Amino acid sequence: MEQEFWHQRWAENQIGFHRDTVHPMLIRHWPSLAPQSDETVLVPLCGKSIDLNWLAEKHQHVIGVELSEIAVRAFFSENLYTPQVYRAPSGHTHYCFDELELINGDFFTARLSPMPLIYDRAALVAMPPAMRAQYVSHIRTLLAPGGRLLLITLFYPQADDTPPFSIDASVVEEAFQGLDFRLLETHTEPDGERGEQAWLIKAAAS
């Protein structure tokens, strides 16, 4: 989507995608990545998710990237954190507090090194089909050798072209072809037509 779309959603507080609790699939399946506390975690398009707090309790460095300054400031305000703030040469603004680092700006132009761990709950599903390949390509470059990605997707009968976008299994399988991927869980709502899936995706070791 155009950046202005997301700026407007946050400005108008149209954030139905935000959860007030830690995502249960994160809690259940993060151990499947065999994560180590000294491994950095990247969370693209993180919003003000409290999943960041949960990850920061288990890792020494958690990096979130978020386009909306409103979302970043809200995260620190609502958690009563006072971050150190600096502006990087890339033009992105970094907010740092203990284990947490939130980078405010365009995910595609943020200067990031390949990461051993990535958590995607709201990024792939936010990408319209026209941007999906670009996002997946970028994520693949950011997954370090031997790196692991926990990906959570949604599926439902989509009637419009606004996010979150329905992602079926074939989309994930095609996007991450060549990597080791495994479906960890499918949770289907009582109507049988909508639900969520959790995927473990691994890059080959160097």
Side-chain angles (χ1 to χ4, degrees):
M1 308 301 290
E2 294 291 336
Q3 293 187 3
E4 186 56 38
F5 172 86
W6 294 109
H7 285 307
Q8 184 174 351
R9 290 285 289 268
W10 280 100
E12 297 176 353
N13 201 36
Q14 296 180 5
I15 53 172
F17 48 83
H18 175 72
R19 294 179 59 97
D20 293 326
T21 58
V22 177
H23 199 293
M25 284 185 170
L26 171 61
I27 297 171
R28 283 197 294 272
H29 298 300
W30 193 245
S32 300
L33 280 67
Q36 303 300 309
S37 64
D38 62 349
E39 291 183 307
T40 299
V41 184
L42 174 65
V43 185
L45 282 62
C46 62
K48 60 174 185 175
S49 174
I50 64 171
D51 291 353
L52 294 163
N53 299 24
W54 189 89
L55 290 165
E57 292 175 355
K58 294 167 174 56
H59 292 274
Q60 298 171 16
H61 194 192
V62 177
I63 302 174
V65 185
E66 170 55 43
L67 179 65
S68 170
E69 183 181 11
I70 293 173
V72 173
R73 288 182 175 273
F75 173 81
F76 288 101
S77 174
E78 291 171 11
N79 286 286
L80 303 180
Y81 299 155
T82 302
Q84 294 183 323
V85 182
Y86 72 92
R87 193 167 182 84
S90 65
H92 293 69
T93 303
H94 293 237
Y95 295 73
C96 303
F97 179 84
D98 290 347
E99 297 86 2
L100 287 160
E101 178 180 359
L102 268 60
I103 302 174
N104 177 212
D106 186 344
F107 173 63
F108 292 104
T109 58
R111 294 180 181 175
L112 298 165
S113 302
M115 302 287 174
L117 298 169
I118 301 177
Y119 171 56
D120 178 343
R121 196 280 293 187
L124 181 60
V125 297
M127 295 291 159
M131 292 185 65
R132 198 173 289 155
Q134 178 189 7
Y135 173 77
V136 169
S137 176
H138 194 47
I139 283 292
R140 291 177 69 127
T141 66
L142 290 174
L143 198 58
R148 291 88 74 205
L149 162 66
L150 178 62
L151 172 68
I152 297 177
T153 57
L154 304 170
F155 61 90
Y156 67 99
Q158 186 158 0
D160 56 29
D161 59 354
T162 60
F165 293 96
S166 180
I167 306 285
D168 62 31
S170 64
V171 171
V172 176
E173 292 166 0
E174 180 179 355
F176 294 100
Q177 186 175 13
L179 300 182
D180 181 8
F181 57 84
R182 176 162 58 96
L183 178 60
L184 299 173
E185 179 185 353
T186 299
H187 171 76
T188 305
E189 297 295 335
D191 64 9
E193 295 187 328
R194 63 191 67 231
E196 292 180 290
Q197 291 185 314
W199 299 82
L200 170 60
I201 297 163
K202 297 181 181 180
S206 57

Short mmCIF file of all heavy atoms in Angstrom, two decimals, residues 146-171:
data_model
loop_
_atom_site.label_atom_id
_atom_site.label_comp_id
_atom_site.label_asym_id
_atom_site.label_seq_id
_atom_site.Cartn_x
_atom_site.Cartn_y
_atom_site.Cartn_z
N GLY A 146 21.36 -19.92 8.07
CA GLY A 146 20.88 -20.63 9.25
C GLY A 146 19.80 -19.89 10.01
O GLY A 146 19.35 -20.36 11.06
N GLY A 147 19.36 -18.75 9.47
CA GLY A 147 18.34 -17.95 10.14
C GLY A 147 16.96 -18.59 10.08
O GLY A 147 16.68 -19.41 9.20
N ARG A 148 16.11 -18.19 11.01
CA ARG A 148 14.75 -18.76 11.10
C ARG A 148 13.72 -17.64 11.14
O ARG A 148 13.94 -16.60 11.78
CB ARG A 148 14.60 -19.63 12.35
CG ARG A 148 15.40 -20.91 12.31
CD ARG A 148 16.81 -20.72 12.84
NE ARG A 148 16.85 -20.57 14.29
CZ ARG A 148 17.84 -19.94 14.93
NH1 ARG A 148 18.83 -19.37 14.27
NH2 ARG A 148 17.82 -19.88 16.26
N LEU A 149 12.63 -17.88 10.48
CA LEU A 149 11.50 -16.94 10.41
C LEU A 149 10.25 -17.62 10.92
O LEU A 149 9.90 -18.71 10.45
CB LEU A 149 11.32 -16.48 8.96
CG LEU A 149 9.97 -15.84 8.57
CD1 LEU A 149 9.76 -14.52 9.28
CD2 LEU A 149 9.89 -15.65 7.05
N LEU A 150 9.58 -16.98 11.87
CA LEU A 150 8.23 -17.41 12.27
C LEU A 150 7.26 -16.48 11.56
O LEU A 150 7.24 -15.27 11.83
CB LEU A 150 8.04 -17.34 13.77
CG LEU A 150 6.63 -17.73 14.27
CD1 LEU A 150 6.31 -19.17 13.92
CD2 LEU A 150 6.50 -17.51 15.78
N LEU A 151 6.48 -17.04 10.67
CA LEU A 151 5.54 -16.28 9.85
C LEU A 151 4.12 -16.67 10.21
O LEU A 151 3.78 -17.86 10.25
CB LEU A 151 5.80 -16.57 8.36
CG LEU A 151 4.78 -16.02 7.36
CD1 LEU A 151 4.83 -14.50 7.31
CD2 LEU A 151 5.03 -16.62 5.97
N ILE A 152 3.28 -15.67 10.49
CA ILE A 152 1.86 -15.91 10.76
C ILE A 152 1.05 -15.25 9.66
O ILE A 152 1.22 -14.07 9.37
CB ILE A 152 1.47 -15.38 12.14
CG1 ILE A 152 2.26 -16.12 13.23
CG2 ILE A 152 -0.04 -15.53 12.38
CD1 ILE A 152 2.01 -15.61 14.65
N THR A 153 0.17 -16.02 9.04
CA THR A 153 -0.64 -15.51 7.94
C THR A 153 -2.12 -15.69 8.26
O THR A 153 -2.50 -16.46 9.15
CB THR A 153 -0.32 -16.24 6.63
OG1 THR A 153 -0.52 -17.66 6.81
CG2 THR A 153 1.12 -15.99 6.20
N LEU A 154 -2.94 -14.98 7.51
CA LEU A 154 -4.40 -15.05 7.63
C LEU A 154 -4.99 -15.64 6.36
O LEU A 154 -4.43 -15.46 5.26
CB LEU A 154 -4.99 -13.65 7.82
CG LEU A 154 -4.49 -12.79 8.98
CD1 LEU A 154 -5.02 -11.36 8.82
CD2 LEU A 154 -4.94 -13.38 10.30
N PHE A 155 -6.11 -16.29 6.47
CA PHE A 155 -6.88 -16.68 5.30
C PHE A 155 -8.35 -16.44 5.58
O PHE A 155 -8.84 -16.68 6.67
CB PHE A 155 -6.62 -18.14 4.89
CG PHE A 155 -6.98 -19.17 5.94
CD1 PHE A 155 -8.25 -19.73 5.99
CD2 PHE A 155 -6.04 -19.57 6.88
CE1 PHE A 155 -8.58 -20.67 6.95
CE2 PHE A 155 -6.35 -20.51 7.85
CZ PHE A 155 -7.62 -21.07 7.89
N TYR A 156 -9.03 -15.89 4.58
CA TYR A 156 -10.46 -15.60 4.71
C TYR A 156 -11.00 -15.24 3.33
O TYR A 156 -10.22 -14.91 2.42
CB TYR A 156 -10.71 -14.47 5.71
CG TYR A 156 -10.21 -13.11 5.27
CD1 TYR A 156 -11.07 -12.17 4.71
CD2 TYR A 156 -8.87 -12.75 5.41
CE1 TYR A 156 -10.62 -10.93 4.30
CE2 TYR A 156 -8.41 -11.51 5.01
CZ TYR A 156 -9.30 -10.60 4.45
OH TYR A 156 -8.84 -9.37 4.05
N PRO A 157 -12.31 -15.28 3.13
CA PRO A 157 -12.88 -14.88 1.83
C PRO A 157 -12.75 -13.36 1.67
O PRO A 157 -13.52 -12.61 2.26
CB PRO A 157 -14.35 -15.32 1.93
CG PRO A 157 -14.44 -16.23 3.11
CD PRO A 157 -13.36 -15.79 4.04
N GLN A 158 -11.79 -12.92 0.90
CA GLN A 158 -11.53 -11.49 0.78
C GLN A 158 -12.40 -10.88 -0.31
O GLN A 158 -12.39 -11.31 -1.45
CB GLN A 158 -10.05 -11.25 0.47
CG GLN A 158 -9.69 -9.78 0.49
CD GLN A 158 -8.21 -9.57 0.72
OE1 GLN A 158 -7.44 -10.50 0.88
NE2 GLN A 158 -7.79 -8.31 0.77
N ALA A 159 -13.12 -9.83 0.08
CA ALA A 159 -14.07 -9.21 -0.85
C ALA A 159 -13.59 -7.86 -1.36
O ALA A 159 -14.23 -7.26 -2.21
CB ALA A 159 -15.43 -9.05 -0.18
N ASP A 160 -12.46 -7.34 -0.82
CA ASP A 160 -11.97 -6.05 -1.27
C ASP A 160 -10.46 -6.11 -1.42
O ASP A 160 -9.86 -7.18 -1.29
CB ASP A 160 -12.38 -4.93 -0.30
CG ASP A 160 -11.91 -5.21 1.12
OD1 ASP A 160 -10.87 -5.89 1.29
OD2 ASP A 160 -12.58 -4.75 2.07
N ASP A 161 -9.85 -4.97 -1.70
CA ASP A 161 -8.40 -4.95 -1.94
C ASP A 161 -7.68 -4.14 -0.86
O ASP A 161 -6.71 -3.44 -1.14
CB ASP A 161 -8.09 -4.39 -3.32
CG ASP A 161 -8.62 -2.97 -3.52
OD1 ASP A 161 -9.32 -2.48 -2.62
OD2 ASP A 161 -8.31 -2.37 -4.56
N THR A 162 -8.16 -4.25 0.38
CA THR A 162 -7.50 -3.56 1.49
C THR A 162 -6.93 -4.60 2.45
O THR A 162 -7.43 -5.71 2.55
CB THR A 162 -8.49 -2.65 2.24
OG1 THR A 162 -9.57 -3.45 2.76
CG2 THR A 162 -9.04 -1.57 1.32
N PRO A 163 -5.86 -4.22 3.15
CA PRO A 163 -5.25 -5.17 4.09
C PRO A 163 -6.09 -5.35 5.34
O PRO A 163 -6.92 -4.49 5.65
CB PRO A 163 -3.91 -4.49 4.41
CG PRO A 163 -4.13 -3.04 4.17
CD PRO A 163 -5.14 -2.96 3.06
N PRO A 164 -5.87 -6.45 6.07
CA PRO A 164 -4.89 -7.50 5.79
C PRO A 164 -5.35 -8.38 4.63
O PRO A 164 -6.55 -8.60 4.44
CB PRO A 164 -4.84 -8.28 7.10
CG PRO A 164 -6.21 -8.11 7.69
CD PRO A 164 -6.61 -6.71 7.33
N PHE A 165 -4.37 -8.89 3.90
CA PHE A 165 -4.66 -9.70 2.72
C PHE A 165 -4.65 -11.18 3.07
O PHE A 165 -3.82 -11.64 3.86
CB PHE A 165 -3.64 -9.41 1.63
CG PHE A 165 -3.74 -8.01 1.08
CD1 PHE A 165 -2.92 -7.01 1.56
CD2 PHE A 165 -4.68 -7.70 0.11
CE1 PHE A 165 -3.03 -5.71 1.08
CE2 PHE A 165 -4.80 -6.41 -0.38
CZ PHE A 165 -3.97 -5.41 0.11
N SER A 166 -5.58 -11.89 2.48
CA SER A 166 -5.66 -13.33 2.68
C SER A 166 -4.48 -13.99 1.97
O SER A 166 -4.20 -13.71 0.80
CB SER A 166 -6.98 -13.86 2.13
OG SER A 166 -7.08 -15.26 2.33
N ILE A 167 -3.78 -14.86 2.69
CA ILE A 167 -2.61 -15.56 2.15
C ILE A 167 -2.86 -17.06 2.30
O ILE A 167 -2.92 -17.57 3.42
CB ILE A 167 -1.33 -15.19 2.92
CG1 ILE A 167 -1.10 -13.69 2.95
CG2 ILE A 167 -0.13 -15.94 2.34
CD1 ILE A 167 -0.63 -13.09 1.67
N ASP A 168 -3.00 -17.76 1.18
CA ASP A 168 -3.19 -19.20 1.31
C ASP A 168 -1.83 -19.91 1.26
O ASP A 168 -0.79 -19.30 0.99
CB ASP A 168 -4.15 -19.75 0.26
CG ASP A 168 -3.67 -19.57 -1.17
OD1 ASP A 168 -2.44 -19.57 -1.39
OD2 ASP A 168 -4.51 -19.43 -2.07
N ALA A 169 -1.84 -21.19 1.56
CA ALA A 169 -0.60 -21.94 1.70
C ALA A 169 0.24 -21.91 0.43
O ALA A 169 1.47 -21.86 0.49
CB ALA A 169 -0.91 -23.38 2.09
N SER A 170 -0.40 -21.92 -0.73
CA SER A 170 0.35 -21.94 -1.98
C SER A 170 1.19 -20.68 -2.16
O SER A 170 2.28 -20.71 -2.75
CB SER A 170 -0.60 -22.12 -3.17
OG SER A 170 -1.47 -21.00 -3.29
N VAL A 171 0.70 -19.55 -1.65
CA VAL A 171 1.45 -18.29 -1.74
C VAL A 171 2.73 -18.39 -0.92
O VAL A 171 3.82 -18.00 -1.37
CB VAL A 171 0.59 -17.11 -1.25
CG1 VAL A 171 1.42 -15.83 -1.14
CG2 VAL A 171 -0.58 -16.89 -2.19
#
